[in-house]
């Protein structure tokens, strides 16, 4: 425990106040004194304290008032109360107002130091938890989801809308498209960001175990149930529960899930009583639930309960405008701690990546970037190195790319984009409308990019200097 913690001691009894000041100062703490409750409340508003030790009975403002003011401060110090035997009941009542503990006079130096240390340790842990919560909230906020394409911008528009409500959301999309990231963005982008977010993969657990995980069980409910266990619905109370791969859930569990959604109550396995829960449900699936309904594999009533707001995450092959920004992101992520290594992809390698269908979607793209960085022997990752990862069973003898090997990542991306645009325009006879459709970008975006690179429909001007893809 750092000994530079600042402690406010408030007591109208001079002897008690001086005893605490000398004891705590000897231990290396910084101590400030308040002669009564009014003085303490004034000091609480003027500086930040890690801990407040206040007498319960003081003239004017008493210790309870000091406690309430201390807990209302943004820096939220821990509070210890000092009381006489006749007011112990009042001190116990103060614990309900979130005081850490209390001392009974006469004060015991050993117990005071032990309790002060415990209170400051708890404050340190609370601060660390809050810092981690802010980091997690930032990591999964919408601004960290790459959405350069119009399709993903539409998805993020829906995320912004539903984040502020508690309606159920069904996220559909192929494996690897980032469905869980979307779910987390919805949770952490809303007013319940500080509440629990719990995810469970419905296809990863057998039916009996999934039932116990979701709804909990009581001691003796089945072999191995040696104690009562809360279910994930209870763990996520007031927060969000992500039911990943909901299409893998058995019909029996679907019935029990529907009952929870309808009644807002959960019954543990082996119990005869129900417990109230308030949980926001987000479900995700890579299967077509509408087809499963027709096949009798998924309940239609549950489907509509879950699908209050549907969000479909497009596959990467349908949002190719996002590929280069994603490459940038993953490249920075996986080279952040490297002292040396490749600085980017060659234009020829980028051409392969942009034309790949990405059956594994974003997950496949990140794995490729990580593998290419680890395996590359060049400043720029070459086309044959990319091909070797995409098609490991094929032999790749072409070990060289044309073009400059001195380009950084940004310059390489621009060089490739320039070539790719030119090739697409040439292929479509310089018809901008057809080209924008082929590239899946807006016509205005195409026009701006042509202006950026100085690309114009040729008369007698040659564009050979751009080369070919």
């Amino acid at each position: 425990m750092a000994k530079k913690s600042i402690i406010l001691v408030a007591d109208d009894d001079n002897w008690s106040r001086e005893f605490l000041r000398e004891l705590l100062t000897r231990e290396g703490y910084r101590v400030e004194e308040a002669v009564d409750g009014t003085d303490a409340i004034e000091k609480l508003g003027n500086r930040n304290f890690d801990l407040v030790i206040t007498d319960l009975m003081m003239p004017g403002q008493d210790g309870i008032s000091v406690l309430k003011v201390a807990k209302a401060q943004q820096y939220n110090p821990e509070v210890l109360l000092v009381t006489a035997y006749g007011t112990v009941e009042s001190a116990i009542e103060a614990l309900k107002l979130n005081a850490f503990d209390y001392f009974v006079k006469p004060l015991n130096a050993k117990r005071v130091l032990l309790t002060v240390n415990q209170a400051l340790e708890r404050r340190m842990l609370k601060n660390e938890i809050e810092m981690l919560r802010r980091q997690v909230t930032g990591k999964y906020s919408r601004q960290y989801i790459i959405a350069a394409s119009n399709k993903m911008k539409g998805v993020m528009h829906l995320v912004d809308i539903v984040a502020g409500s508690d309606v159920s959301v069904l996220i559909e999309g192929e494996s690897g498209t980032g469905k869980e990231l979307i779910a987390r963005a919805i949770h952490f982008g809303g007013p319940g960001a500080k509440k629990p977010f719990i995810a469970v993969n419905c296809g990863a657990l057998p039916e009996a175990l999934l039932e116990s995980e979701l709804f909990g069980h009581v001691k003796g409910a089945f072999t191995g149930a040696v104690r009562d266990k809360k279910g994930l619905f209870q763990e996520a109370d007031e927060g969000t529960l992500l039911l990943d791969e909901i299409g893998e859930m058995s019909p029996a569990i679907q019935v029990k899930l529907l009952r929870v959604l309808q009644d807002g109550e959960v019954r543990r396995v082996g119990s005869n009583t129900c417990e109230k829960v308030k949980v926001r449900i987000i479900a995700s699936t890579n299967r077509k639930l509408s087809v499963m309904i027709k096949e009798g594999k998924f309940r239609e009533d549950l489907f509509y309960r879950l699908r209050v707001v549907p969000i479909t995450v497009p596959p990467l092959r349908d949002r190719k405008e996002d590929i280069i920004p994603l490459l940038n992101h993953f490249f920075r992520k996986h080279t952040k701690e490297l002292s040396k290594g490749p600085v980017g992809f060659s234009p020829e390698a980028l051409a392969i990546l942009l034309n790949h269908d990405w059956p594994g979607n974003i997950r496949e793209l990140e794995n490729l970037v990580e593998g290419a960085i680890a395996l590359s022997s060049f400043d720029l990752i070459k086309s044959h190195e990319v091909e070797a990862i995409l098609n490991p069973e094929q032999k790749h003898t072409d070990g060289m790319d044309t073009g400059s090997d001195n380009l950084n990542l940004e310059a390489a991306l621009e060089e490739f984009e320039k070539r790719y645009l030119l090739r697409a325009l040439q292929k479509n006879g310089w018809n901008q409308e057809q080209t924008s459709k082929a590239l899946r970008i807006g016509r205005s975006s195409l026009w701006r990019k042509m202006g950026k690179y100085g690309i114009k429909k040729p008369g007698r001007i040659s564009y050979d200097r751009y080369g070919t893809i």
Side-chain angles (χ1 to χ4, degrees):
M1 173 59 58
K3 296 298 183 182
K4 292 184 180 180
S5 299
I6 305 174
I7 301 174
L8 175 64
V9 174
D11 201 320
D12 62 317
D13 181 70
N14 292 337
W15 185 89
S16 294
R17 196 172 64 248
E18 290 172 4
F19 170 80
L20 288 169
R21 182 194 65 208
E22 291 181 9
L23 177 66
L24 297 171
T25 302
R26 268 201 318 268
E27 290 296 311
Y29 296 112
R30 295 161 58 188
V31 178
E32 190 163 327
E33 297 177 62
V35 298
D36 56 30
T38 302
D39 187 22
I41 289 172
E42 182 179 351
K43 284 180 166 60
L44 284 169
N46 292 333
R47 72 176 306 172
N48 294 0
F49 295 95
D50 299 294
L51 176 65
V52 177
I53 303 177
T54 179
D55 189 33
L56 186 60
M57 302 300 293
M58 292 183 291
Q61 302 285 350
D62 62 9
I64 297 295
S65 299
V66 174
L67 167 64
K68 290 178 178 178
V69 172
K71 286 300 178 181
Q73 302 301 312
Q74 189 172 4
Y75 57 87
N76 192 23
E78 293 294 342
V79 179
L80 294 170
L81 293 165
V82 179
T83 184
Y85 280 110
T87 55
V88 168
E89 288 185 4
S90 297
I92 294 173
E93 187 67 25
L95 297 180
K96 298 178 182 179
L97 298 174
N98 212 19
F100 181 78
D101 205 345
Y102 67 93
F103 305 121
V104 177
K105 294 180 180 180
L107 299 176
N108 178 282
K110 186 175 180 180
R111 183 173 185 275
V112 167
L113 291 177
L114 176 63
T115 308
V116 164
N117 189 59
Q118 290 172 338
L120 290 171
E121 281 185 348
R122 185 171 85 162
R123 186 168 192 273
M124 181 182 67
L125 288 172
K126 284 163 62 177
N127 289 341
E128 289 178 354
I129 290 170
E130 182 59 30
M131 180 182 67
L132 289 171
R133 182 181 286 118
R134 287 196 297 268
Q135 290 176 353
V136 169
T137 301
K139 179 180 178 182
Y140 293 112
S141 65
R142 70 167 317 282
Q143 69 188 69
Y144 287 90
I145 297 178
I146 291 171
S149 65
N150 289 333
K151 288 188 176 182
M152 276 306 295
K153 287 177 181 177
V155 168
M156 297 315 298
H157 178 65
L158 279 176
V159 168
D160 291 339
I161 293 173
V162 300
S165 69
D166 59 357
V167 298
S168 298
V169 179
L170 177 63
I171 305 173
E172 297 177 292
E174 296 178 6
S175 294
T177 51
K179 297 187 293 297
E180 182 170 339
L181 197 61
I182 296 296
R184 290 180 181 273
I186 292 171
H187 171 78
F188 289 108
K194 292 186 177 182
K195 301 296 183 179
F197 177 94
I198 296 178
V200 58
N201 188 324
C202 300
L205 300 172
E207 180 179 325
L209 185 55
L210 179 61
E211 181 182 12
S212 174
E213 284 295 307
L214 287 176
F215 310 118
H217 62 254
V218 296
K219 181 179 178 180
F222 49 82
T223 303
V226 295
R227 63 178 65 89
D228 288 356
K229 178 183 180 298
K230 282 185 176 182
L232 295 182
F233 271 96
Q234 293 167 302
E235 297 288 351
D237 195 25
E238 300 294 332
T240 301
L241 178 60
L242 170 62
L243 301 173
D244 191 21
E245 300 308 339
I246 189 75
E248 305 299 326
M249 184 178 285
S250 71
I253 305 295
Q254 290 179 37
V255 172
K256 295 187 177 183
L257 173 60
L258 180 63
R259 187 175 299 119
V260 175
L261 296 181
Q262 289 173 336
D263 302 335
E265 295 179 339
V266 62
R267 179 182 294 179
R268 300 193 199 190
V269 177
S271 174
N272 294 321
T273 60
C274 294
E275 300 174 56
K276 285 285 186 182
V277 290
K278 184 180 179 182
V279 179
R280 195 231 185 103
I281 297 295
I282 301 178
S284 65
T285 180
N286 62 4
R287 303 181 66 179
K288 292 291 185 182
L289 296 187
S290 56
V291 174
M292 294 182 65
I293 291 171
K294 294 177 181 178
E295 295 173 346
K297 296 178 181 178
F298 200 86
R299 293 184 64 95
E300 187 173 18
D301 46 4
L302 176 59
F303 174 73
Y304 287 112
R305 280 278 181 178
L306 297 171
R307 194 179 177 268
V308 177
V309 175
I311 295 179
T312 301
V313 185
L316 191 54
R317 62 182 173 275
D318 290 342
R319 43 180 286 211
K320 291 199 171 182
E321 288 170 277
D322 294 323
I323 291 178
I324 289 179
L326 284 166
L327 278 173
N328 268 310
H329 169 72
F330 292 136
F331 194 89
R332 287 192 297 267
K333 174 182 175 181
H334 292 291
T335 57
K336 189 175 182 180
E337 297 180 359
L338 295 178
S339 57
K340 61 180 181 178
V343 296
F345 290 83
S346 71
E348 290 76 11
L350 289 173
I352 294 172
L353 296 175
L354 199 58
N355 286 305
H356 184 58
D357 278 342
W358 300 108
N361 292 294
I362 298 173
R363 188 180 296 124
E364 181 188 3
L365 176 62
E366 180 174 9
N367 289 342
L368 181 140
V369 172
E370 186 177 10
I373 291 170
L375 299 174
S376 180
S377 305
F378 304 93
D379 289 337
L380 290 178
I381 296 168
K382 304 294 186 178
S383 61
H384 73 281
E385 294 174 310
V386 170
E387 288 281 14
I389 297 173
L390 290 175
N391 303 295
E393 296 180 359
Q394 296 182 15
K395 293 184 178 180
H396 306 279
T397 57
D398 179 12
M400 297 298 292
D401 285 335
T402 59
S404 172
D405 279 350
N406 296 319
L407 296 175
N408 59 27
L409 178 60
E410 183 176 355
L413 291 172
E414 290 185 350
E415 178 68 13
F416 165 73
E417 188 174 53
K418 187 190 301 181
R419 294 186 186 188
Y420 194 82
L421 287 172
L422 181 61
R423 179 67 177 273
L425 285 163
Q426 291 171 336
K427 186 176 180 180
N428 290 279
W430 290 89
N431 185 306
Q432 292 185 24
E433 184 175 355
Q434 291 181 9
T435 303
S436 63
K437 288 181 180 179
L439 295 176
R440 296 190 179 95
I441 63 176
R443 189 169 177 178
S444 60
S445 296
L446 175 62
W447 181 82
R448 284 195 299 271
K449 291 178 185 294
M450 290 175 65
K452 176 182 177 181
Y453 299 120
I455 300 176
K456 298 180 181 179
K457 184 175 180 178
R460 295 181 179 179
I461 302 174
S462 172
Y463 284 81
D464 289 343
R465 62 191 178 92
Y466 289 125
T468 58
I469 295 174

